[in-house]
Amino acid sequence: MASFSTGLFELSDLYSMENQPFLNYQDGQRASSMEQITNIELSSIQVQEPKPRSFFNDANNIIIQEEDVETPHGTVHVAVQGDRSKIAIFTYHDIGLNHVTCFQGFFSYLDMQPILRHFCVYHLNAPGQEESSLHLKPDFIYPTMDELAESVLTVVEYFGVKRFIGFGVGAGANILSRFALSHPEHVDSLVLVNPTSTRPGWIEWGYQKMNSWYLWSGQVTNFTEEYLLWHWFGSKTRWDNHDLITVYQEYIKAINPQNLSLFIESYLKRIDLAIIREMDPLKKKSARTINCRTLVLVGDDSPHIDDVVNMNGRMDPQETDFMKIQDCGGMPLEEQPGKVCEAFRLFLQGMGYVPSLRGPSHQTVSRQSQQDNVFSQTDLASTAVC
């Protein structure tokens, strides 16, 4: 359509105004309504800066007593959480971690608090692996995996614990498994996260050997950092959960490299657990196996899933529960604490512990039903009676 200038505006503009006479009015009215709605919705919202993830966010809410226990195979640093008169839970960490970086986040989880009221947790740290640990003496011979398992017995006797529930991750799961095989009278049950029962393969041996060499020289190289992150989380979580990875990257800088090198060397020299799954009832009593109730946990994207499945296949199916956690890498306690907490609660209840304790979903439904009852009574009271 041709347009002609009239001095003030063009005829094309007049044509648009004639065909859409209420466009500007309606737009203005709609914008005004949206501003009112926005003001109503945002009037009660307070903007807060997100707190950075840290191992110490809830440290002030946790009462922990720490003691150093002298054993024939070195000093074991033990952090005790809870009333010592209650049932004991012994935890043992993975390589490169300690009781804070491996367990504090999980045992501080909200849904774990009702469970922890019934237990006392003893967090064991391998020699030289606790926070701010000093260099081990040059003449100190680091204990083997079997000797680390024997040092658990000294801790049991030191605190006067008759039986305990073991909770181990990675190398810690291997140590507690060895203890359960040699001292079954002290182990009530086991929770094993990423356990392994075999010797290290050639690939693991090569990578760990190189890391051990770098660490012993006092260096925490990019190669060592990347391998530790892969060992803890796997490839998927390494690139998807940046917040979690950043925290552990900062933690790696505080590791005592020489002490970690010794722990890695000990883990590399581990021997096979030599456990078998014997289905013959006549041979079953004499077969070497873990006889206590055991919960085996692994993430579906864990880098150790093959080793975990192999170990589960060698254990007694009547005494073992296997759980593969969906949408999870190599550290279920940090990545999926809710699912692990629920599995742990059901596992404990299967053995007769905390029978009256109910899951968070049931509690939420119960609270919702109570609210519904209140609303229904209110509505009933306000209804006119004819």
Side-chain angles (χ1 to χ4, degrees):
M1 182 179 191
S3 60
F4 300 90
S5 176
T6 60
L8 297 177
F9 52 82
E10 297 181 345
L11 291 179
S12 59
D13 297 332
L14 180 61
Y15 176 82
S16 299
M17 293 175 61
E18 290 176 352
N19 285 276
Q20 299 176 344
F22 302 106
L23 182 61
N24 294 335
Y25 172 76
Q26 291 175 350
D27 287 346
Q29 190 177 29
R30 188 181 299 112
S32 177
S33 300
M34 290 300 295
E35 289 178 0
Q36 293 177 1
I37 294 174
T38 303
N39 291 335
I40 293 173
E41 291 178 346
L42 300 180
S43 59
S44 61
I45 295 178
Q46 297 180 355
V47 179
Q48 295 181 352
E49 291 293 332
K51 295 182 179 180
R53 188 185 180 103
S54 171
F55 294 120
F56 307 102
N57 282 344
D58 300 322
N60 295 329
N61 300 328
I62 303 173
I63 301 176
I64 293 181
Q65 300 174 349
E66 301 188 11
E67 296 189 35
D68 290 328
V69 180
E70 296 293 336
T71 75
H73 308 290
T75 302
V76 176
H77 185 80
V78 183
V80 185
Q81 177 182 349
D83 185 354
R84 299 188 185 186
S85 64
K86 297 182 178 179
I87 303 167
I89 297 176
F90 275 37
T91 71
Y92 218 115
H93 58 87
D94 197 4
I95 59 171
L97 300 175
N98 53 51
H99 80 274
V100 174
T101 54
C102 193
F103 294 107
Q104 179 174 285
F106 176 69
F107 283 98
S108 301
Y109 189 63
L110 181 62
D111 293 344
M112 274 295 294
Q113 303 316 303
I115 298 176
L116 292 182
R117 296 191 189 104
H118 303 271
F119 298 93
C120 180
V121 185
Y122 298 78
H123 299 288
L124 278 65
N125 294 271
Q129 308 304 312
E130 67 272 11
E131 279 189 303
S132 304
S133 60
L134 302 176
H135 293 301
L136 295 171
K137 295 180 180 179
D139 58 345
F140 178 73
I141 300 176
Y142 207 85
T144 64
M145 296 297 285
D146 287 318
E147 290 173 341
L148 287 172
E150 286 301 316
S151 67
V152 176
L153 179 61
T154 305
V155 177
V156 169
E157 295 172 346
Y158 178 86
F159 289 103
V161 176
K162 295 182 179 179
R163 293 174 66 85
F164 66 84
I165 299 170
F167 203 123
V169 177
N174 188 276
I175 292 170
L176 292 180
S177 297
R178 294 176 188 275
F179 181 83
L181 290 169
S182 58
H183 302 283
E185 69 277 5
H186 292 295
V187 182
D188 188 52
S189 58
L190 289 175
V191 178
L192 306 177
V193 182
N194 297 330
T196 179
S197 61
T198 59
R199 293 173 177 269
W202 285 109
I203 296 177
E204 179 188 356
W205 186 90
Y207 276 102
Q208 294 281 33
K209 198 70 176 178
M210 188 173 297
N211 285 323
S212 177
W213 184 83
Y214 281 130
L215 290 167
W216 181 248
S217 63
Q219 306 176 54
V220 181
T221 63
N222 290 335
F223 176 83
T224 301
E225 178 182 311
E226 288 299 323
Y227 183 82
L228 286 175
L229 292 174
W230 175 85
H231 177 86
W232 295 334
F233 299 103
S235 301
K236 187 175 184 297
T237 305
R238 169 69 180 87
W239 300 110
D240 290 351
N241 197 332
H242 300 287
D243 184 28
L244 181 62
I245 296 300
T246 300
V247 173
Y248 279 85
Q249 283 177 325
E250 291 298 318
Y251 157 70
I252 289 175
K253 299 176 183 178
I255 290 178
N256 187 311
Q258 283 87 359
N259 293 358
L260 177 56
S261 173
L262 295 173
F263 190 22
I264 290 177
E265 282 289 335
S266 178
Y267 188 54
L268 274 180
K269 295 176 181 177
R270 69 183 185 271
I271 61 174
D272 195 285
L273 292 181
I275 57 176
I276 60 173
R277 173 180 288 189
E278 183 58 66
M279 304 306 297
D280 188 344
L282 300 177
K283 300 179 181 179
K284 194 172 184 178
K285 292 183 179 181
S286 60
R288 179 179 170 84
T289 187
I290 298 176
N291 294 313
C292 64
R293 291 293 304 171
T294 306
L295 174 62
V296 179
L297 297 173
V298 65
D300 60 354
D301 289 313
S302 171
H304 314 290
I305 189 167
D306 292 337
D307 292 329
V308 177
V309 171
N310 178 277
M311 180 168 178
N312 179 67
R314 302 172 67 181
M315 299 181 69
D316 185 357
Q318 294 182 350
E319 298 289 344
T320 307
D321 298 317
F322 177 77
M323 181 178 179
K324 184 168 68 172
I325 303 175
Q326 192 175 9
D327 300 326
C328 182
M331 197 176 284
L333 302 187
E334 288 289 338
E335 298 177 54
Q336 295 290 352
K339 294 180 180 179
V340 177
C341 178
E342 183 71 4
F344 186 46
R345 179 184 65 82
L346 295 174
F347 178 70
L348 292 173
Q349 290 179 334
M351 296 185 298
Y353 297 114
V354 292
S356 60
L357 191 63
R358 298 184 179 182
S361 59
H362 181 90
Q363 295 173 3
T364 302
V365 172
S366 178
R367 288 195 297 268
Q368 184 63 39
S369 63
Q370 293 176 0
Q371 292 177 358
D372 293 342
N373 290 336
V374 172
F375 291 146
S376 61
Q377 292 173 3
T378 305
D379 294 339
L380 182 61
S382 61
T383 304
V385 179
C386 298

